[in-house]
Amino acid sequence: GQQLNQSPQSMFIQEGEDVSMNCTSSSIFNTWLWYKQDPGEGPVLLIALYKAGELTSNGRLTAQFGITRKDSFLNISASIPSDVGIYFCAGPHGPNRDDKIIFGKGTRLHILP
Amino acid sequence: GAVVSQHPSWVICKSGTSVKIECRSLDFQATTMFWYRQFPKQSLMLMATSNEGSKATYEQGVEKDKFLINHASLTLSTLTVTSAHPEDSSFYICSARSGGAIDTQYFGPGTRLTVL
């Protein structure tokens, strides 16, 4: 079945640094979703991408839907302590936007003091 | 954005008891809700899809008689863990599909279940 591969698995950065993480799949996705999960909380939707090549920003976050439809990246600029958490990419498990969503294994972001 | 609540936020129970978790969409109607479980340091694993007014669709390997799902209204779905055992201890998260022009899923804050 479809799988989402996220990299890196974890990142250790200094406050103020920019962050880049990506998500790839062996099959095509028609929607890419990026979520952030804080400890003990449910995931929160950060950015939704619906069209190949689409580049969307949400504050310091920018995400792009790859042209091949098999990848997406998320960038965070000028990281701050509250950016710490797990970032998941996700997408519908099928050709339709309302198919059930599958998740990557996540990228854990740590900010060094 | 859309708001989804869960109750309780955490629960501790004895082995053999049943536990009910509620998921509500507070400011929108959700014809479809989803139930996930998440073990420590792992990703979310879909357990079942809950459709209002019909039976839930369970993922492979999830026991439907153990994890009872009821979606009685457009704003409420419940998950009952029957005869809970320590291996059922996990973080259970629901989500609700918003529908409309921008159809996506919004997640609840999760319920931490600990079975002693």
Side-chain angles (χ1 to χ4, degrees):
Chain A
Q2 291 179 308
Q3 284 189 328
L4 294 174
N5 303 303
Q6 281 190 251
S7 66
Q9 288 188 340
S10 62
M11 305 180 71
F12 292 83
I13 63 168
Q14 300 280 352
E15 184 178 348
E17 285 186 23
D18 295 341
V19 172
S20 183
M21 61 188 78
N22 67 73
C23 190
T24 60
S25 173
S26 58
S27 53
I28 289 173
F29 276 74
N30 291 322
T31 300
W32 286 91
L33 306 168
W34 284 95
Y35 288 89
K36 181 189 179 217
Q37 186 179 28
D38 290 328
E41 300 286 335
V44 174
L45 181 65
L46 300 174
I47 293 178
L49 302 163
Y50 298 106
K51 202 163 83 169
E54 180 181 351
L55 182 70
T56 298
S57 293
N58 178 6
R60 294 178 295 106
L61 277 62
T62 302
Q64 184 159 31
F65 191 145
I67 291 292
T68 64
R69 295 186 173 181
K70 293 183 178 181
D71 64 327
S72 176
F73 72 73
L74 175 70
N75 288 342
I76 305 173
S77 62
S79 59
I80 60 178
S82 61
D83 291 333
V84 168
I86 308 173
Y87 292 81
F88 292 103
C89 65
H93 186 267
N96 302 311
R97 187 179 295 178
D98 57 353
D99 286 325
K100 59 190 179 186
I101 288 177
I102 62 170
F103 285 80
K105 294 187 184 299
T107 293
R108 292 177 176 272
L109 180 62
H110 306 267
I111 295 184
L112 300 170
Chain B
V3 179
V4 176
S5 71
Q6 277 184 244
H7 178 80
S9 55
W10 59 270
V11 56
I12 301 173
C13 68
K14 291 183 179 180
S15 186
T17 60
S18 294
V19 174
K20 180 186 283 188
I21 303 170
E22 293 186 349
C23 177
R24 293 181 186 273
S25 55
L26 298 184
D27 52 358
F28 65 100
Q29 293 184 328
T31 54
T32 306
M33 291 183 172
F34 302 86
W35 287 95
Y36 296 81
R37 66 189 296 182
Q38 185 179 33
F39 291 107
K41 299 191 177 181
Q42 293 191 21
S43 188
L44 286 77
M45 297 302 297
L46 180 65
M47 298 175 66
T49 301
S50 170
N51 296 297
E52 186 266 338
S54 64
K55 291 184 178 180
T57 303
Y58 290 81
E59 294 300 299
Q60 193 172 7
V62 177
E63 299 175 59
K64 61 181 180 181
D65 294 331
K66 180 165 184 65
F67 298 99
L68 301 178
I69 292 173
N70 183 271
H71 194 152
S73 77
L74 289 172
T75 59
L76 173 65
S77 176
T78 60
L79 169 69
T80 301
V81 183
T82 62
S83 186
H85 288 93
E87 58 266 30
D88 298 324
S89 299
S90 188
F91 193 50
Y92 291 86
I93 308 172
C94 73
S95 71
R97 174 172 285 146
S98 63
I102 301 179
D103 182 14
T104 191
Q105 287 186 28
Y106 296 93
F107 285 82
T111 297
R112 173 76 57 193
L113 171 62
T114 302
V115 185
L116 302 176

